[in-house]
Amino acid sequence: MSRDDGRMLNEGFDAYVDGALGAQQHAEFERRVQGDPALQAEQVRQRAIDAALGRLFPVPGAERAEALIRAAGQAAGQAAAVGRHAELVREDHATGSPMRRRGVHRLRILAYAACALFLAGGGWWLASILREPSVLSTGSVAAEFRPVDPLDAVRRIEREKHEPDLVCEDDQQFAALVWMRTNQGLLLAQPLPVGVEVVGWNMRQTVLSWKTLILMARVDGQWVYVIIDARANDRSLTVPSGSGQRLFRDEVGALVAYELTPFDGPRLIGLLYDPKRDDSWYRAGIRW
Amino acid sequence: MRHDGAARLTVEQFASAFHESFRLYWLIAVGITRDAALADDIVQDAAVIAMRKLDEFQPGTSFNAWMGQTVRFVAYNAARRERHNRVASFDPSDLDRRPASHASEEAPPLEDLRRGIVAADPRNFDDQVMHALGSISDTARACLLLRTLAGLEYAEISQLLGIPAGTAMSHVHRSRMSLRRQLAPHLPGWAGAVGGDA
């Protein structure tokens, strides 16, 4: 293959993955991909990268937009006017009134498409990657990450009105999520004590590492958070006295768990345990 | 969206337009900083600034272009501040209080902790992607995310980022190619798995 051929092939491939080819050209290129292992590999790489981008940067939902605009309105001294907008948005969402503009509709369709693409691509990629875990065991990088203070993380979660990134359908899914991020499963002993209600996961607060998970729960009507990560990523988390919050630490196998709570003692981390199931059980729990 | 007519943009109109395109502003912010949590703060700060400067918005011009410029301005400032702060993210005195279990062989080097840097898990593909994203420019990253995660047309990206549409397209294509090349060694099983029967 000449250098020009390579360049043209790259341009063709880019146009193909970009959806920029016409229907006929797309079909032709599709056939070409089917018969070319190198192009297939390139396509697989691109899908894996796109899926990773979706996981790394989960686009926030409309509720978060509303929370941010309200907070911004307060900061700018325009709370009342922003509040009127929020009422209109809620009314619009409830009634489907004409205020729902075409642009909003289009953005929503794009968001749904992105979600579907992310779920399809991510699921496929995850299933494949789990079949061959060794493919991720090569090389080494020292990516930088910005640690988030536990209280800042909670403030952000509050600002998002505790909107979970994931609500697990069952124990298997719960354990699989932790296993995927930390290589060890985790469950909460059942039945949960009276007054404890698990709300869902926040997966975007980099308290200890990129892979930090925060379990959000209501305990006797108060918000309690469990920050979970691999013990290898642990560092001394503290909260200042006078913050109204206390931090309790525990270890479960190779994991570390910090409970951030307004109560005098931990109510959740003592319930955590490693279910010690085989990989296939965890893989079957990956359903998002 | 465009707000036609000579009337000044009201706060309600601003809030409505902001709400409509919030995700795009968030993607610009995260494209520049690579920090999803920080992106929230940036978009909120940009909204505060914009609300205080509603008079500066010219009716009939693109709201997204105006707001995109504000988000970029705040994001670049935040990125600069983060780069400066990252070196001293930890109170060294806290290190003395680390529990005994932290002294295991798995614990990150002390110097890394002091600098707020933790070695990424080489087994995690997402870490590799995040690392590779660091090698492309802020604008290119924003273009890539707006195209990949929001599905925007290049003309729309052009408006949001204040660059020609052709440049946006070039950024996206070059970024994709660069990421594929950089990440290929971390996906050695893929080519064989897909093309194994060839």
Side-chain angles (χ1 to χ4, degrees):
Chain A
M1 183 191 292
S2 75
R3 198 169 163 178
D4 279 351
D5 286 344
R7 187 177 55 80
M8 283 175 66
L9 192 61
N10 265 325
E11 285 174 359
F13 181 78
D14 281 335
Y16 168 70
V17 296
D18 202 40
L21 295 178
Q24 192 183 341
Q25 287 174 306
H26 185 87
E28 281 171 16
F29 204 88
E30 189 100 286
R31 279 194 293 275
R32 193 170 177 182
V33 170
Q34 296 304 319
D36 186 337
L39 279 178
Q40 284 178 22
E42 201 79 335
Q43 185 184 34
V44 168
R45 276 186 211 118
Q46 189 58 55
R47 284 178 180 166
I49 291 165
D50 290 349
L53 291 177
R55 286 190 302 276
L56 286 166
F57 308 115
V59 184
E63 293 78 9
R64 190 123 59 94
E66 201 174 315
L68 282 188
I69 190 70
R70 272 179 177 279
Q74 282 177 344
Q78 300 283 3
V82 170
R84 282 197 296 279
H85 152 75
E87 291 303 320
L88 285 172
V89 168
R90 259 198 298 282
E91 207 171 282
D92 175 44
H93 280 237
T95 62
S97 72
M99 188 188 163
R100 185 175 293 181
R101 288 181 300 277
R102 210 170 47 193
V104 175
H105 207 66
R106 185 162 172 265
L107 191 63
R108 194 165 295 146
I109 290 168
L110 285 174
Y112 287 153
C115 282
L117 192 67
F118 165 61
L119 287 172
W124 172 85
W125 179 79
L126 284 170
S128 306
I129 210 79
L130 290 168
R131 276 197 299 274
E132 183 54 76
S134 64
V135 299
L136 297 180
S137 303
T138 57
S140 159
V141 295
E144 295 176 19
F145 100 102
R146 304 168 180 89
V148 175
D149 180 84
L151 291 181
D152 285 342
V154 165
R155 275 192 281 273
R156 285 166 174 167
I157 290 172
E158 285 171 350
R159 209 166 56 204
E160 295 161 14
K161 298 181 176 175
H162 295 91
E163 181 191 350
D165 294 322
L166 180 68
V167 178
C168 292
E169 294 165 7
D170 51 37
D171 280 359
Q172 193 176 16
Q173 196 180 30
F174 184 102
L177 173 69
V178 182
W179 175 76
M180 267 193 56
R181 288 234 171 176
T182 64
N183 291 330
Q184 183 193 302
L186 199 66
L187 279 179
L188 277 166
Q190 300 287 345
L192 293 175
V194 175
V196 174
E197 179 200 354
V198 173
V199 175
W201 291 101
N202 184 295
M203 304 191 282
R204 286 171 289 108
Q205 308 303 325
T206 55
V207 177
L208 292 170
S209 77
W210 294 115
K211 291 180 275 187
T212 297
L213 289 164
I214 300 184
L215 183 66
M216 302 184 289
R218 299 280 286 171
V219 177
D220 294 341
Q222 306 255 40
W223 283 103
V224 173
Y225 310 90
V226 182
I227 301 162
I228 295 166
D229 209 318
R231 221 170 55 201
N233 296 329
D234 193 14
R235 64 190 72 230
S236 293
L237 293 183
T238 56
V239 291
S241 56
S243 65
Q245 296 284 331
R246 304 187 73 182
L247 199 60
F248 298 93
R249 181 183 181 283
D250 201 358
E251 293 177 3
V252 183
L255 304 186
V256 64
Y258 285 94
E259 181 168 337
L260 188 61
T261 173
F263 298 107
D264 289 336
R267 304 280 292 274
L268 292 173
I269 51 176
L271 304 173
L272 296 172
Y273 69 98
D274 178 0
K276 297 185 191 299
R277 305 298 287 264
D278 58 36
D279 288 357
S280 60
W281 187 78
Y282 292 119
R283 283 173 200 157
I286 299 171
R287 298 187 296 267
W288 52 84
Chain B
M1 73 180 284
R2 283 182 181 280
H3 291 268
D4 296 323
R8 175 185 182 272
L9 189 67
T10 66
V11 175
E12 289 94 333
Q13 285 173 328
F14 169 84
S16 174
F18 177 89
H19 196 277
E20 183 176 322
S21 297
F22 160 75
R23 293 170 184 193
L24 308 182
Y25 310 143
W26 189 87
L27 284 171
I28 294 173
V30 86
I32 291 172
T33 62
R34 287 187 292 154
D35 185 331
L38 186 60
D40 280 5
D41 296 343
I42 289 166
V43 174
Q44 184 178 317
D45 289 350
V48 173
I49 291 170
M51 259 190 264
R52 286 175 178 159
K53 294 185 174 181
L54 286 183
D55 284 340
E56 293 182 12
F57 175 71
Q58 296 183 342
T61 61
S62 163
F63 178 82
N64 272 346
W66 180 64
M67 197 61 214
Q69 188 181 25
T70 309
V71 172
R72 292 198 316 272
F73 171 79
V74 178
Y76 282 122
N77 276 342
R80 261 195 300 275
R81 209 166 41 241
E82 281 294 312
R83 272 195 290 272
H84 175 77
N85 290 345
R86 208 180 308 147
V87 177
S89 336
F90 293 96
D91 179 354
S93 64
D94 283 347
L95 296 174
D96 299 333
R97 296 199 293 272
R98 299 175 76 217
S101 65
H102 295 182
S104 71
E105 288 179 3
E106 292 178 322
L110 197 62
E111 184 57 30
D112 281 356
L113 280 174
R114 286 206 181 99
R115 298 186 58 218
I117 297 171
V118 168
D121 184 343
R123 287 170 298 182
N124 191 319
F125 182 66
D126 291 3
D127 287 345
Q128 312 284 356
V129 174
M130 184 63 89
H131 182 67
L133 282 170
S135 70
I136 60 177
S137 74
D138 300 341
T139 306
R141 265 199 312 269
C143 289
L144 179 68
L145 296 185
L146 287 167
R147 181 69 180 172
T148 306
L149 300 181
L152 287 198
E153 298 295 334
Y154 289 110
E156 294 172 297
I157 298 174
S158 153
Q159 198 174 51
L160 273 165
L161 299 180
I163 56 174
T167 306
M169 186 188 289
S170 171
H171 275 316
V172 171
H173 289 181
R174 284 171 187 275
S175 300
R176 281 181 177 149
M177 205 183 306
S178 168
L179 292 181
R180 287 199 304 271
R181 293 291 165 267
Q182 287 185 68
L183 294 163
H186 304 297
L187 291 165
W190 295 94
V194 174
D197 56 349

